[in-house]
Every structure is written in C-alpha cells, then in structure tokens.
Amino acid sequence: MLKPIKLANKNFLSSLDASSEEIDHILEVAKNFKNNDLNIKLKDKVLGLIFDKSSTRTRVSFQVAMSKLGGSTVDLNPNTSQIGRGEPIRDTARVLSRYCDVVAIRTFKQSDLEEYAKWSSKPVINALTDLEHPCQALADYMTIKEEFGDFKNVVLTFIGDGNNVANSLILCGALLGVEVRIACPKGYEPNSLVIKKAYEIYKNKDLLKITNDPNNAVLGANVLYTDVWSSMGEENKKKEKEKDFNGFTIDSNLIEKADKNAIILHCLPAYRSKEITDEAFESKRNRIFDQAENRLHAQQALLSCLLN
Ligand code: CP
Ligand code: NVA
C-alpha cells in the first residue's frame, strides 16, 4: 500500500511549497484515496479553519476530509472569535498552535497568511488568498491526469482573470511541466512574480504563454478553464469588470477552436452567461463536478502528507 511521504516544507502556502516530485506524490496519494486503496488515519488530529471569505467547496471538503481520516475540524469563524476584533495574527497563531495540529486559512493578503505561518508551530494551508489557490490547483491537475493519463502534450488554456486560481495553475503547471496558456484582458494579467518564478521552473520556456487573445489561446487546447470575473472582495468592481471581460466567455465559438476532445473545467462558483455560457457549462465535455469532488481527495492527500 502506498504510504504518504512527509513534505519537506512545514506549510502549503503556495504551490511552490511543494517540489515537482511532491506534487506528483500528492496526486498519486489522492488517486489512491479516491479508489479507496488507502486507509490512513489521522486519529485525534484537529484542523482549524479560519475563513475570512465565503466558501462551500473548500470548507466542506476540508471538513469531510478530516472526518474520513478520523480527525476533526474546528470552525474558527473570524466574526465570532477574537480574530475579527483585531487580535494580532501572531498571538492567534501562537495560541491555536497549542490546540490544533494544522490550520487552513482563507483570507485576502498572502502576507497575512505568511505572517500567521511564521508564528505557527503547526502546518498552515492556503485555502485561498488574493494571490493563490494552491489546493484548487491540486484538484485541477488531478482531474486533468484522470482524463488524459499524464500531462504529456496536454495544453491547458485558462480564460479569465489572472488572479489566484490562474496564478496557482501557472505555478503547479510549471512544476508538472504542463503547457499553460492564460488569456486575459489587458490589465488583468497574472502576478508578475508568479510568471517570473514559473519561467525559472519551466525547462521549456515556450510552455507558458500570457496573451490578451482568447481565440488564439484556445487553438488545439485540451483543457478550457475559467473562473469568476469578479472575485470575492471585488463586488464593487463587478460592472467595470463585466465590460472589460467582454469576449472572454467560454462559449461554443471558443470550444470549436479547441481540440475536439477538450474538457471544460471551472473552479466554481460559476456565473452563467458571464465567464461561461450555460451550454458550455452543461456540455458533455464538462468535468466540473469531478473537479469539485477531487478537492476532497486532493486535500485528504495533502493533509496526510503534512501530518504523517
Ligand atoms: N472553488 C472553491 O474554492 O470554492 P469555494 O469558494 O466554495 O470554497
Ligand atoms: N477567483 C475566485 C475564486 C473562487 C474559488 C475568488 O477569489 O473569488
């Protein structure tokens, strides 16, 4: 039976906190969990959940993952704990380290997550920041691997806002050697440091392309991926962004230009007739709900590799 190997880094704040081999290993462990081939128990281990933003998938998949592993979760809602009243991060981190074995945090600034991790003696997981969503990327690449068997010759085209989800797809894609194309409107390109780091990792620099032309980016692509146009915390930019993202909807026109066996992914939640048409969302090419299910298996694997 496959045995989860402990990750070299204490935390998973970024896709880059794991090596290529470690990401491969997490995906393999996740597959084993999905197939019920693993019986790892994290009995009595407690995962703390600090969510400054809404969540359905991430929160529930972490809760169910811990429950399946024999551990439990504590929901540390910032509104009902002292976190929301401004208790310093470094104090919260030191206290919760005495109660919890691992903490997953969803917040705005990556620097707040890093500050927490600096003061925590226990592993910290990024459950989404404005910069990255590395747990999402694990489930995404697991879904792609399920479909295509491996990542050789797979072209992933992301159409939308170059923020957290796109940034993690780039970094994890670089580690796995996947060709990633990002098509976004001008001014919505992925984080420049993320792009720089990805180019340092890619052995073949042609494998990452950032463009403002979605029609060109989807040519022959095997995976079409999109995310909401207005992320959490950007509710006041909704109107402006809808205008800026005109032409960046995954629809039958873009799908026709992709490979004929291309699959469609979306991290969810989805807004029909904005980033994706209802027809595209509901088409037989969608693997969106397998992708959502894989959040559970990937996080079981991640927790096993952080806590064993
Ligand atoms: N994809 C994702 O992270 O979903 P939630 O916001 O529901 O957690
Ligand atoms: N980019 C989106 C992802 C949601 C899972 C957001 O940050 O709201």
Side-chain angles (χ1 to χ4, degrees):
M1 196 167 69
L2 182 68
K3 205 179 161 323
I5 298 168
K6 201 169 177 76
L7 303 183
N9 277 325
K10 170 181 139 258
N11 304 308
F12 192 64
L13 308 183
S14 160
S15 296
L16 293 186
D17 277 336
S19 64
S20 305
E21 294 72 28
E22 285 174 332
I23 299 275
D24 264 336
H25 178 67
I26 294 169
L27 298 188
E28 194 56 30
V29 174
K31 184 174 126 188
N32 277 261
F33 271 120
K34 187 167 187 175
N35 295 338
N36 290 319
D37 287 340
L38 270 185
N39 190 22
I40 308 295
K41 288 291 170 211
L42 299 178
K43 193 174 164 331
D44 299 333
K45 298 282 186 196
V46 178
L47 164 69
L49 297 170
I50 304 176
F51 277 52
D52 278 330
K53 296 174 174 176
S54 306
S55 172
T56 298
R57 283 143 288 271
T58 310
R59 183 197 301 277
V60 178
S61 55
F62 266 123
Q63 286 170 329
V64 175
M66 277 312 271
S67 159
K68 282 180 179 287
L69 290 166
S72 59
T73 51
V74 190
D75 198 346
L76 297 149
N77 183 340
N79 296 328
T80 51
S81 65
Q82 301 291 0
I83 299 168
R85 294 182 61 245
E87 181 166 6
I89 291 172
R90 62 180 185 276
D91 295 354
T92 306
R94 282 179 286 183
V95 171
L96 295 182
S97 292
R98 310 278 178 118
Y99 305 145
C100 297
D101 300 286
V102 52
V103 175
I105 301 178
R106 170 169 285 200
T107 193
F108 295 84
K109 294 196 234 151
Q110 183 79 11
S111 57
D112 283 347
L113 182 74
E114 283 164 4
E115 163 84 355
Y116 189 102
K118 184 177 143 193
W119 290 95
S120 172
S121 59
K122 300 291 169 55
V124 179
I125 298 171
N126 182 347
L128 180 146
T129 59
D130 291 347
L131 185 68
E132 270 204 63
H133 198 3
C135 294
Q136 179 70 54
L138 289 178
D140 300 342
Y141 284 107
M142 177 179 177
T143 312
I144 293 169
K145 197 168 178 191
E146 268 174 3
E147 183 73 26
F148 299 104
D150 60 39
F151 299 116
K152 271 187 227 112
N153 305 318
V154 171
V155 176
L156 161 63
T157 298
F158 176 94
I159 299 150
D161 196 1
N163 70 350
N164 44 21
V165 169
N167 287 332
S168 290
L169 283 174
I170 291 173
L171 292 174
C172 202
L175 289 167
L176 294 168
V178 181
E179 177 168 350
V180 176
R181 302 176 190 160
I182 307 287
C184 51
K186 269 202 168 55
Y188 294 100
E189 286 81 5
N191 179 278
S192 54
L193 201 61
V194 163
I195 297 175
K196 185 172 170 277
K197 283 184 183 164
Y199 277 126
E200 284 167 14
I201 298 167
Y202 271 115
K203 292 189 183 91
N204 175 356
K205 310 289 175 216
D206 292 337
L207 292 185
L208 175 62
K209 286 195 188 77
I210 316 292
T211 169
N212 304 122
D213 179 357
N215 287 291
N216 200 29
V218 296
L219 289 177
N222 307 100
V223 182
L224 302 185
Y225 193 130
T226 188
D227 178 15
V228 293
W229 287 344
S230 296
S231 286
M232 290 179 277
E234 295 186 330
E235 288 73 15
N236 59 347
K237 294 188 189 158
K238 203 165 163 271
K239 280 236 139 56
E240 179 192 336
K241 289 190 92 171
E242 280 179 16
K243 231 168 62 215
D244 293 346
F245 281 76
N246 187 18
F248 286 79
T249 302
I250 294 193
D251 57 10
S252 48
N253 168 51
L254 284 184
I255 294 171
E256 265 170 34
K257 297 189 167 105
D259 185 86
K260 67 176 192 336
N261 295 318
I263 60 166
I264 296 169
L265 299 182
H266 193 310
C267 55
L268 301 177
Y271 295 88
R272 315 293 209 283
S273 70
K274 303 284 185 237
E275 74 272 9
I276 190 162
T277 60
D278 190 52
E279 191 192 3
F281 188 92
E282 300 295 346
S283 84
K284 63 177 190 325
R285 292 156 179 255
N286 114 41
R287 299 291 179 274
I288 295 169
F289 295 98
D290 296 324
Q291 179 188 11
E293 178 189 333
N294 286 340
R295 298 292 308 275
L296 169 64
H297 309 301
Q299 283 157 206
Q300 273 186 280
L302 177 66
L303 288 163
S304 306
C305 292
L306 285 171
L307 289 179
N308 70 6

